[in-house]
Amino acid sequence: MTTSPFRSAVVPAAGLGTRFLPTTKTVPKELLPVVDTPGIELVAAEAAEAGAQQLLIVTAPGKEAIAAHFADSGELEQTLADRGKDALVAKVRRAHELIAVRTVTQAEPLGLGHAVGCAREAIGADEGCFAVLLPDDLVLPSGVLTRMAQVREEKGGSVLCAFDIPREEISAYGVFDVTDTGDADVKQVHGMVEKPAAADAPSTFAAAGRYLLDVAVFDALDRITPGAGGELQLTDAVALLISEGHPVHVVVHRGGRHDLGNPGSYVRAFVDFALADPDYGPELREWLTARLAN
Ligand code: G1P
């Protein structure tokens, strides 16, 4: 068995979810289902698979349903068991058994950097690094965190996940200034900029929601000022670390990716997962084919 080089995984989930209004008046965006499972449970499963032992969910007042999703559901499980619904018992129990979950409250929406900073007190003094998984991003197949951890072992510092994004879409992302290493999928990062204009983007390699950060980032987060969108940006803390000589690398993920953060791309994720589902896939494929022919 290999031991994971990180113990805590931080999942920022404090946003208002404005792109999903009116649903997000009462339902946190992170609980919207991908077929039948909330996106944040998929992300929790990825963190657990990579060896994380605690999931630190950064939430906001009013989003208590997220913690409730991971809480013990013994009563419901008993009801289902009494009815002989063993498969459902397993489904219901999964979130609770995956990983230990703690929530941390971000009282004010001051940005992703600020949200990550809120997790500081919940990370043990002996932890040298921690993972961050943005629940809007599904990175497929899973496994990139394990690869990122190997790169940290080799090169030290912090390791992020990058996707090669079409230049016309680049201004929605944190973008890396990179040079090659001996490994085509690992690049050294010399700078990082949040949401640059396409013409100013230093490359087409963008941050894709998976970070393995040295705890030195907390000190950097204390020293940044509001950046893009007037928010305290995680990107700016990483850029500050780089400027001070902290090693930062990216693992370029060549697999798939879904963005659950807006309705258009969320629908694609839903359909993609549903097509792969043994129960729903075959009929959906047939229906979609007929629907598109009309
Ligand atoms: C955040 C980060 C950005 C990153 C993106 C990935 O932006 O700030 O650097 O590239 O997630 O999804 P957001 O999508 O929250 O605007």
Side-chain angles (χ1 to χ4, degrees), residues 87-176:
L88 286 182
V89 172
K91 269 192 178 186
V92 165
R93 186 175 286 174
R94 180 169 175 256
H96 182 59
E97 288 188 335
L98 266 176
I99 186 167
V101 170
R102 256 180 87 176
T103 55
V104 182
T105 303
Q106 184 189 25
E108 278 181 280
L110 299 178
L112 177 60
H114 180 258
V116 170
C118 291
R120 182 184 207 150
E121 303 310 322
I123 289 178
D126 60 330
E127 294 181 63
C129 66
F130 61 98
V132 175
L133 295 88
L134 303 188
D136 276 356
D137 290 308
L138 296 182
V139 178
L140 305 166
S142 62
V144 74
L145 283 172
T146 303
R147 181 77 187 99
M148 289 159 64
Q150 288 164 353
V151 173
R152 174 169 152 101
E153 298 263 287
E154 281 166 32
K155 307 199 183 276
S158 298
V159 184
L160 284 70
C161 172
F163 266 77
D164 198 358
I165 301 274
R167 193 168 275 273
E168 58 274 18
E169 293 166 27
I170 202 78
S171 59
Y173 297 94
V175 184
F176 302 108

Side-chain angles (χ1 to χ4, degrees), residues 268 270-293:
R268 282 207 289 271
F270 196 111
V271 171
D272 199 26
F273 274 65
L275 285 170
D277 188 290
D279 291 335
Y280 308 119
E283 252 184 67
L284 175 64
R285 186 174 302 275
E286 228 174 85
W287 180 83
L288 271 177
T289 309
R291 175 68 183 80
L292 293 173

Side-chain angles (χ1 to χ4, degrees), residues 20-70:
F20 281 96
L21 283 169
T23 297
T24 44
K25 283 168 73 180
T26 54
V27 180
K29 173 181 71 169
E30 295 78 9
L31 292 182
L32 295 179
V34 180
V35 186
D36 56 8
T37 304
I40 196 166
E41 185 176 322
L42 301 176
V43 166
E46 181 188 339
E49 188 191 309
Q53 290 161 31
Q54 74 163 345
L55 199 70
L56 298 171
I57 304 181
V58 184
T59 59
K63 299 186 81 173
E64 291 75 20
I66 294 178
H69 180 73
F70 289 94

